[in-house]
Amino acid sequence: MTTSSHPNRFFLTTPIYYVNARPHLGHAYSTIVCDAIALRKRALGIDTWFLTGTDEHGQKIERSAEKAGCQPQDFADALSAEFRGLWRQLGISNDDYIRTTEERHKRGLQKLFVALRDRGYIYKGYYTGQYCVSDELYVDGAPGAICPDCGRVTETVSEENYFFKLSAFERKLLEFYEAHPDFMGPESTRREVISFVRGGLKDLSVSRTSFSWGVPVPGDEKHVIYVWLDALANYMTALGYGSDDPEDQARFEKFWPADLHLIGKEISRFHCVYWPAFLMAAGLPLPRRVRANGWLLFDQGKMSKSRGNIVRAETVHTVLGSDALRYFLLREIPFGQDGNFSFDALVQRYNADLANGYGNLVSRVVNMVHKYFGGAMPEAGAETPAETALRASAEKAIADFGPAFDELNFSEALKSVWSLVAEADGYLTANAPWKKPAERSEAEQTKLQARVLATAAEAIRIVTALAYPIVPEAAAKVWRQLGQGEIAEAAKLGFLSNLAWGGLKAGTKFGEPAPLFPRAEKDTAERMQKIEEENSKSAIEAAAKQSAASATPAAAQPEKPAAAVVAEQPKTASSPTITIDDFAKVDLRVAQILVAERIPKADKLLRLEVDLGYEKRQILAGIAQYYEPEKLIGRKIVIVANLAPRKMRGFESNGMLLAASLEGGSPALAGFLEEVPLGARLK
Ligand code: ME8
């Protein structure tokens, strides 16, 4: 069990993302953080391996594929390609990309499972309890219990499972946390995890038998391995764990254990409790650090597909470029805390710090070096107190940046560099090399211009080197303009490990000036907003087309509560004819209302939790004006079970209740006179 850091190699990972939906800015945030770290580590001369990938098994993916009407593998192929495409577009520098449906992963995962079993940590049992499919999490509680993580209704699982002896690791984990205070962070995560473990650990079910989309348990193929054990193992299987190939084995030996698992805060328990316990049980070294980023919020809530409040990284990339996005996320959000995303704030930061700040500084200096010195770096000559002050600021930025960045305080690290930008700007303005007072001779003027421009250019070089991991595209352009060649080549040679004032030599031929960050026009935020709106509109349309329930106007009008839509239907039977196949696409089912409650500040909506027999789910219905919630509990109703999920007032509705529309009166809920079993299909 080791967590001491190896000085010259670094293995870091993002979570592997579920392929149940397309990537959004929240996913991009974690990946960008890792990418910035990877770029800096490499530029420090550290042998770095940066892994990302996709989590493709489990009930959640199987169901998403089913809803989309395709095979899980096809579904995973399509969405995984979206993630890879986005990372390529954003210029992410990952060294590998693991998909849990790859052979290399399955082989490694099965080896880990066998190791756990052979070492006596796995036994067969029977699980009866609650399960949250959205979080792929076993939940303590009675049937109908709400998932503590996402608030959805859990499902009752009752099946033969393999169990992992997690309870045997309670003390060992607490001792490990104590001995390795740096293992997990930030402090809030550390406290939460420790209190979870202190609360007692029960053995964990690590296989499922009620569905098949997963990796089979070796020797007992009707079980598939629990998707979190499957997913966590990616960090080792991608390196080569479980492979017979000597090259893979060497990579695993070299890079395992991971130096940093970067995760979102909601998955700390899996990474800080289950994962180290699995590794202890298998006799493998534990990761050195796990760090949780906070949530990116948009419209008051965590940006997530189920809330429907997402922004896509592509939008920002198309309009302002990926450097702008990287800079904004790392500068604006203190790492570990939740942070608001808004287009206005993005544009404001972009203009202030990148267009008017760094970009403008570079453009002024490079242009003047071309204008006054034919594009060759002038000789600075002797320092006056102004140059000494700027050099001291640059040296302070170098000294402050590294420790702050390495502690993941990106915001602080960037502040220190951008205060150097501001100082260099002030220095330039104060010394105005473009002005020539009458009392100054030609020779004196040239000397001043040389000193000021050379000093400002050197400050720009320092800013650029430090900012490179955060704004790599801009840094590459500036590096060329300063006549330093390709920054990626310099990074390969570890140029950040010996960054010091004075690297820009007199006589160096500068490159051509090129724009870095064109000023964003007034309507930029609005434009991005519009792109997003258009996109979500087309996503809804696509979902509506795909959804079996697309024939109802409700699918295309997400804001309208289902029953209200029904009540607005034309009163005469004037609907166009459909075929039996069309009708067969609508999955109408009998359900029973378990919970019914009003939604604060929504006078028309009721939130219902309904039991379909085979699963429980939440639906919203626009019947609050007509029914007392208490009176609905226990009532059997009919729902459209395969309607695409829709979000209303922050709640997800997974289906639509059927009611007869009565002129001027309340809608009457569809029901039965005979006894009908839950989940029965209407056809
Ligand atoms: O949890 N703000 O996958 P996932 C910040 N497959 N980060 C966010 C975010 C937001 N609004 N939304 C998503 C899973 N993320 C599992 C992980 S790892 C072995 C298995 C980021 O698709 C954040 O890093 O739900 C979060 O942990 C991750 O995406 C969750 O992605």
Side-chain angles (χ1 to χ4, degrees), residues 125-149:
Y126 204 87
Y127 180 81
T128 299
Q130 299 312 113
Y131 191 78
C132 171
V133 177
S134 177
D135 290 326
E136 300 281 13
L137 173 71
Y138 295 96
V139 172
D140 283 337
I146 299 293
C147 169
D149 283 9

Side-chain angles (χ1 to χ4, degrees), residues 644-655:
R646 294 169 302 141
K647 211 193 86 185
M648 288 177 263
R649 303 285 175 145
F651 291 90
E652 190 174 83
S653 183
N654 289 290

Side-chain angles (χ1 to χ4, degrees), residues 15-18 20 24 26-27 29-30 55 228 231-232 234-235 263-267 271 293-296 302-304:
I16 50 167
Y17 305 107
Y18 283 129
N20 65 320
H24 58 68
H27 305 113
Y29 176 45
S30 301
D55 188 354
W228 268 103
L232 289 161
N234 92 86
Y235 300 133
I263 59 168
K265 65 179 180 179
E266 77 289 354
I267 54 174
H271 284 81
N293 64 243
W295 287 339
L296 212 55
K302 182 191 175 199
M303 192 180 287
S304 73

